[in-house]
Amino acid sequence: MSTTNLNDELTNKVLAFLGIKKRVPATLPTLEKLLAAYYRTVPWESVFRIVRRADNPAPRWPEQFWQETMAQGAGGTCFESNYAFFALLQTLGYEGYLTINNMRESIGCHTASVIVLDGQKWLVDVGIPLYALLPISSRGVMHRRSPFLQYAVRPSGQATYQIEQRPHPKPVVFTLIDEPVDDATYRAATENDYGENGLFLDFVIINKVINNQQWRFNMAERPWVLNRFDWGQRFDTVLVGDVATSVALHFGMDTAVVQRAFALTQHNYPN
């Protein structure tokens, strides 16, 4: 994998932004700390992609991704976010590869990283996100618990695994295809995700862990409310005033960018 590494200055800034005080050896506990810091700091969101596509329909590669994250509270969906996080991990000395996977009937629509430590493969996915590192083994089902969900990695064929989550209304998350994707192929797929068939470009959706709670806003669901999830239970909070502004403030994102994303898409899903 030839993903571009981050330079030292940017790496140090990203680590500080994530609350990691200094570079430490590439170990499993460090990887767990990095993952937890990421999903508590960086949202999974479509806002910045929607605005980017309107202005310049080209991917935000890792350097731009991280700069926007630190300056404007940006995040991304799976292609950009997993690529940026993998670039950070690779810079920190982790070894592994990126994958392109299937999600139910949708082929090649979801990405994830596989990191190899002491001969064990670990699934790392900030593009859902998965809230735990998941061990991969062809010998049988592997289980792992996160602060929010329980996960299973179930072998389902040659180099394929069903990633499952419970309690959740959609227990099958995606099908992992455990095959390395070279950098050129991954970048081409990321560029295609800004094209006519790109995902999450027609509505605002945001997920982020805030104060150790899972929060979501989904423009495609009406009426517009904030959703909080707690082990399979959903609690809704009514939004008052200007919804775009309220959403931006709640998730810590640049208000002007969120307002523009609403203006570009809300005709598709009027409240």
Side-chain angles (χ1 to χ4, degrees), residues 133-135 140-145 150-154 164:
L133 306 176
L134 304 186
V141 181
M142 304 292 280
H143 297 274
R144 207 110 198 277
R145 182 185 176 94
Q150 298 186 68
Y151 295 108
V153 181
R154 189 179 304 278
E164 301 171 356

Side-chain angles (χ1 to χ4, degrees), residues 77-84 100 108-111 186 189-190 193 199:
T77 56
C78 67
F79 282 92
E80 291 179 333
S81 58
N82 275 320
Y83 197 58
I100 297 179
C109 67
H110 182 65
T111 72
Y186 191 96
T190 305
D193 200 39
L199 300 177

Side-chain angles (χ1 to χ4, degrees), residues 139-202:
R139 296 186 296 273
V141 181
M142 304 292 280
H143 297 274
R144 207 110 198 277
R145 182 185 176 94
S146 81
F148 311 105
L149 294 164
Q150 298 186 68
Y151 295 108
V153 181
R154 189 179 304 278
S156 58
Q158 186 174 0
T160 61
Y161 300 84
Q162 297 300 313
I163 310 304
E164 301 171 356
Q165 58 187 0
R166 289 181 174 79
H168 197 279
K170 296 180 179 179
V172 177
V173 190
F174 68 96
T175 300
L176 169 66
I177 302 173
D178 185 24
E179 297 177 356
V181 174
D182 65 80
D183 198 57
T185 300
Y186 191 96
R187 289 173 74 94
T190 305
E191 290 169 347
N192 288 338
D193 200 39
Y194 271 85
E196 183 178 347
N197 296 317
L199 300 177
F200 307 111
L201 291 169
D202 64 342

Side-chain angles (χ1 to χ4, degrees), residues 103-121:
M103 189 170 286
R104 292 173 282 280
E105 292 78 23
S106 298
I107 305 302
C109 67
H110 182 65
T111 72
S113 302
V114 174
I115 298 296
V116 183
L117 286 166
D118 298 323
Q120 172 63 55
K121 293 181 177 181

Side-chain angles (χ1 to χ4, degrees), residues 214-244:
Q214 292 175 276
W215 286 91
R216 182 186 73 171
F217 172 78
N218 186 354
M219 179 185 280
E221 295 183 359
R222 296 177 296 278
W224 291 345
V225 295
L226 290 172
N227 316 130
R228 180 175 64 83
F229 298 93
D230 184 7
W231 284 98
Q233 291 185 292
R234 169 176 159 169
F235 305 90
D236 292 345
T237 300
V238 176
L239 289 161
V240 296
D242 179 72
V243 173

Side-chain angles (χ1 to χ4, degrees), residues 3-166:
T3 309
T4 302
N5 286 13
L6 308 181
N7 63 46
D8 286 343
E9 180 182 3
L10 180 57
T11 299
N12 292 334
K13 287 181 179 179
V14 170
L15 290 176
F17 178 75
L18 295 176
I20 309 296
K21 294 182 179 180
K22 61 179 181 179
R23 295 197 196 194
V24 290
T27 64
L28 184 62
T30 300
L31 184 56
E32 290 179 317
K33 186 176 181 180
L34 286 164
L35 175 64
Y38 182 98
Y39 66 65
R40 287 179 167 86
T41 309
V42 185
W44 182 97
E45 53 88 5
S46 64
V47 169
F48 278 74
R49 290 190 68 235
I50 289 167
V51 173
R52 172 73 169 176
R53 186 174 189 243
D55 293 340
N56 178 15
R60 299 168 303 138
W61 302 120
E63 181 176 353
Q64 181 180 356
F65 180 97
W66 284 115
Q67 295 287 5
E68 289 183 353
T69 295
M70 293 185 291
Q72 297 174 284
T77 56
C78 67
F79 282 92
E80 291 179 333
S81 58
N82 275 320
Y83 197 58
F85 194 60
F86 185 77
L88 174 65
L89 296 183
Q90 188 169 256
T91 302
L92 296 175
Y94 288 94
E95 296 183 356
Y97 48 90
L98 289 157
T99 63
I100 297 179
N101 312 287
N102 304 331
M103 189 170 286
R104 292 173 282 280
E105 292 78 23
S106 298
I107 305 302
C109 67
H110 182 65
T111 72
S113 302
V114 174
I115 298 296
V116 183
L117 286 166
D118 298 323
Q120 172 63 55
K121 293 181 177 181
W122 294 90
L123 177 63
V124 184
D125 185 359
V126 298
I128 290 290
L130 299 178
Y131 297 112
L133 306 176
L134 304 186
I136 301 169
S137 174
S138 60
R139 296 186 296 273
V141 181
M142 304 292 280
H143 297 274
R144 207 110 198 277
R145 182 185 176 94
S146 81
F148 311 105
L149 294 164
Q150 298 186 68
Y151 295 108
V153 181
R154 189 179 304 278
S156 58
Q158 186 174 0
T160 61
Y161 300 84
Q162 297 300 313
I163 310 304
E164 301 171 356
Q165 58 187 0
R166 289 181 174 79

